[in-house]
Amino acid sequence: MKAVKLYGYATSPFVRKTGCFLHYKGIEFTHIPVDPTKPNETIGFTGRTQVPVLEVDGEWRLESSAHAHWLDELFPEAPLCPPQHRAKINEIDAWISDSFLLSIFRYPIDGPDTLQFRYRGWRLAALLSAHTPLPEEVRHQWPNALRKAPFIRAMAEQMDLTESISDMQMRIAMELVGHIGEGPFLGGFAKPTMLDLAVFPQLVWSYMFGLEEQLSAAAHPAIKAWLQRVSEYLPPNPTLVSDKMLVNSLQSGLR
């Protein structure tokens, strides 16, 4: 039995992505939360502050997409990137990395400073604190800290900020529908791959943990049907956020 550890913030989409890789493969692992204010205490051995960090028997790797390929090498069952489909998977994975995942960070970059934005920031801080307790002042300032965070600003440099937030959200949704196509899974594959497991947790976790009242992604019939299919391969809480912070069950959002 290999010792598998996943280091990272439970609120990071990239950490959630690697977590779902592990869940799908049925690999037992330990999630080691990283305090964003003191990352060196847990991931100082990497010489970086980047998450996720995946460690297997003392050997570690960065980059969530690279984790999929590494896990397939070490644990061949339930492949995340079947070799015969690698070219197509790499193509769609580039869209996930360069468009879909980037879009998650758009609102903190130039979205309006509304009460809704501040509530979301405070809720994110609470979810982080469930794993690595943050001082009250840090939690209070979290919405402002998000806008100023270096990694958020780095994301901004990779985006077309002339596209409105609403237009960007609509475009991403329609591109996702296009990648689902006739299904049943992204790319038209018969079983889930790293593609499905990279997108799925990002669409469901806000609803599950009280950042949105309805599972907004389920408003589109094709996306809802795809979410239902992927959910059959994952645990009821496929994120790394503590169950004690759950507000809604995933199944309630998919009814």
Side-chain angles (χ1 to χ4, degrees), residues 52-117:
V53 179
L54 180 62
E55 181 181 334
V56 180
D57 283 351
E59 188 176 355
W60 55 271
R61 298 281 193 281
L62 299 171
E63 303 291 352
S64 54
S65 288
H67 290 162
H69 302 295
W70 190 36
L71 287 170
D72 277 353
E73 292 175 15
L74 299 176
F75 306 93
E77 294 297 319
L80 297 164
C81 183
Q84 68 271 29
H85 301 311
R86 177 162 292 196
K88 189 170 186 179
I89 287 175
N90 286 345
E91 177 185 343
I92 300 175
D93 186 54
W95 170 79
I96 292 172
S97 298
D98 299 339
S99 293
F100 175 79
L101 289 175
L102 274 184
S103 72
I104 295 173
F105 300 96
R106 178 65 189 273
Y107 209 88
I109 291 168
D110 61 352
D113 190 5
T114 61
L115 182 59
Q116 181 183 20
F117 169 75

